[in-house]
Amino acid sequence: MSATSFEPARYTPSDAAVVPRLHVLTDTRDGRDPLPCVAGALQAAHTVGASIAVQVRHKSATDRELFQLTRRVVAMVAETGPPRCWVVVDDRVDVALAAGAHGVHLGAHDLPVDVARHLAADRLRVGGTARDPAGARVLVDSGVAYLGVGPCFETRTKRGLPAPLGVQRLGEVARAASVPVVAIGGVDAGRAAALVRAGAHGVAVVSAVSEAADPQAATARLLEAVAVCP
């Protein structure tokens, strides 16, 4: 299985044009196979000519399992995704590098952003997680390519999260950040447009795609909601 031919260029963190507006996270809860949903999401993006990011998240996986899943997603993007789609690995810089991913997303308890950027050089785009304007500014100064901000609404896909931010507070964080903000947590197509109007560059979703009867159609609706479709 070969890695994608995508070559991450040196980037300017404030260049919003390179950050996909829709991030689809893999859903492995209760032993689910996330790949059919990934395939549907990539097909939707291919159909409308939009780029998406697929974030590989599998909290209970072994290192090898996470590596193998990431490699498979990288291959799927190379085979079926439109140009400039990203594969982003949750938490793990080492797996992202080893598997040929395009980025890594770091939470508050993961490696610091500046350390991750040093390790990855220009091979990975590094995203970070923020919940308030002050935290957003710190991460921007560290060199993040984008910020994940949330949870914006109640969500069942991750436990132990703080209280939802809501649309207004999401907007406050977005206004404080000079990099694209991707809203996450309880997001669906109906809520995505409001988040973008409040200042989000895009949205990240789990259940909106993984629990949909038709993941491809659900992804198409989300792409339309965040105004990616031509």
Side-chain angles (χ1 to χ4, degrees):
M1 188 184 302
S2 62
T4 175
S5 60
F6 178 98
E7 292 292 338
R10 294 184 181 276
Y11 66 92
T12 301
S14 60
D15 182 8
V18 302
V19 179
R21 290 182 180 269
L22 178 61
H23 294 224
V24 177
L25 279 64
T26 56
D27 189 351
T28 58
R29 292 174 294 162
D30 304 318
R32 304 181 196 203
D33 178 3
L35 295 181
C37 289
V38 171
L42 289 172
Q43 186 58 52
H46 178 79
T47 299
V48 301
S51 294
I52 64 172
V54 178
Q55 185 183 133
V56 181
R57 186 169 78 178
H58 193 341
K59 297 292 189 182
S60 63
T62 65
D63 289 2
R64 181 164 296 190
E65 288 169 340
L66 183 61
F67 169 77
Q68 291 172 339
L69 176 59
T70 305
R71 286 284 286 176
R72 183 67 189 116
V73 174
V74 167
M76 292 171 70
V77 167
E79 293 163 4
T80 64
R84 311 304 295 180
C85 280
W86 290 10
V87 179
V88 178
V89 179
D90 186 49
D91 299 343
R92 298 290 299 273
V93 178
D94 55 341
V95 173
L97 287 169
H102 312 124
V104 62
H105 187 86
L106 302 174
H109 303 296
D110 299 323
L111 282 177
V113 168
D114 55 350
V115 173
R117 292 186 66 227
H118 174 74
L119 291 172
D122 61 351
R123 292 176 58 193
L124 297 175
R125 293 183 168 95
V126 180
T129 301
R131 281 185 51 81
D132 55 62
R137 294 187 191 100
V138 169
L139 288 171
V140 169
D141 289 342
S142 296
V144 289
Y146 71 93
L147 289 172
V149 177
C152 293
F153 306 100
E154 293 283 354
T155 177
R156 296 178 288 107
T157 59
K158 193 175 182 181
R159 298 176 180 176
L161 293 173
L165 293 174
V167 175
Q168 181 175 342
R169 290 182 62 193
L170 175 281
E172 293 171 0
V173 179
R175 287 190 292 274
S178 58
V179 298
V181 162
V182 178
I184 188 170
V187 180
D188 57 23
R191 290 168 165 170
L195 292 165
V196 171
R197 286 196 297 269
H201 172 75
V203 300
V205 301
V206 184
S207 298
V209 171
S210 70
E211 296 183 358
D214 185 340
Q216 181 175 339
T219 301
R221 288 192 293 271
L222 285 157
L223 288 169
E224 183 176 7
V226 295
V228 174
C229 297

